[in-house]
Amino acid sequence: MSEMTKIYTKTGDNGRTTLYGGSKVKKCSNRVHAYGAVDEANTLIGLAAAQIENEDLETLLRICQQKLFLIGSELASDDRGRRMLKEKITAQDALQLEHLIDAFSERLPVSKEFQIPGKTVKSAYLHVARAMVRKAERLVIGIKEEARVSQEILIYMNRLSDFLFILTRVREELMI
């Protein structure tokens, strides 16, 4: 078995990791925490998608996962790596979420109170994913001084948590 086919590389055994582009950073750096939180959010959205039992909503959640993968890739890249990325988050990605939020919101009654997470199991998964997206957003904002973070990423993360919140309401109130 060659080194390329092994799951372990041993390159991180000293507490450092290599960014896409070649730079090395400590695994405990804020940047690694930020893209790790994006990965966690992606995983939790996947869990919610697997439980949602609605093909259309699952498809939308899978698209969000793909976008989070792009965000994680960009955050895990140094300047050289970012130039090599074939695809990045754009302003259009956030606009698509806004359109979805607006379309779903039109179908929902006006909410005059805070939502307590956990009304149903399926909506609880969405709430957990939403909370993790918010955490990831805070960590991404926190690395702006040490790493380049596009405004498009910040906007997308903010809209994604709003979108997940609306989906919790859709799941709870419309039972879609």
Side-chain angles (χ1 to χ4, degrees), residues 24-176:
K24 295 201 183 295
V25 295
K26 291 181 179 180
K27 286 186 175 185
C28 62
S29 74
N30 290 333
R31 176 193 289 247
V32 175
H33 284 295
Y35 69 72
V38 169
D39 184 41
E40 290 175 54
N42 197 336
T43 301
L44 290 170
I45 290 172
L47 181 62
Q51 298 296 319
I52 201 77
E53 294 180 346
N54 177 298
E55 191 175 324
D56 294 333
L57 295 182
E58 181 181 351
T59 297
L60 293 173
L61 291 169
R62 299 295 182 199
I63 292 168
C64 293
Q65 286 187 280
Q66 292 168 354
K67 299 302 179 184
L68 283 179
F69 188 76
L70 293 177
I71 289 171
S73 296
E74 191 168 341
L75 296 175
S77 298
D78 59 20
D79 289 340
R80 181 175 174 264
R82 265 192 302 286
R83 287 190 299 272
M84 294 187 295
L85 292 173
K86 292 180 177 30
E87 192 176 355
K88 296 179 186 174
I89 290 295
T90 67
Q92 186 62 33
D93 295 318
L95 283 175
Q96 288 173 337
L97 285 180
E98 288 176 11
H99 293 310
L100 289 167
I101 291 166
D102 292 343
F104 281 121
S105 294
E106 288 176 5
R107 299 171 59 190
L108 292 166
V110 175
S111 178
K112 297 181 181 177
E113 57 191 46
F114 287 105
Q115 301 291 311
I116 304 294
K119 187 173 181 180
T120 68
V121 171
K122 289 169 183 50
S123 68
Y125 283 116
L126 290 165
H127 272 294
V128 170
R130 175 196 53 78
M132 191 64 221
V133 168
R134 282 280 193 221
K135 179 180 180 180
E137 178 188 12
R138 291 189 303 271
L139 291 170
V140 170
I141 289 168
I143 66 166
K144 281 187 70 165
E145 292 179 10
E146 69 183 72
R148 292 182 198 229
V149 178
S150 73
Q151 191 64 24
E152 290 79 13
I153 286 176
L154 297 175
I155 293 169
Y156 186 85
M157 295 293 292
N158 188 268
R159 294 307 177 281
L160 180 56
S161 61
D162 295 338
F163 177 63
L164 292 171
F165 174 75
I166 287 298
L167 285 187
T168 63
R169 292 196 58 218
V170 165
R171 188 68 198 128
E172 290 172 354
E173 296 176 35
L174 302 178
M175 299 308 284
I176 292 178

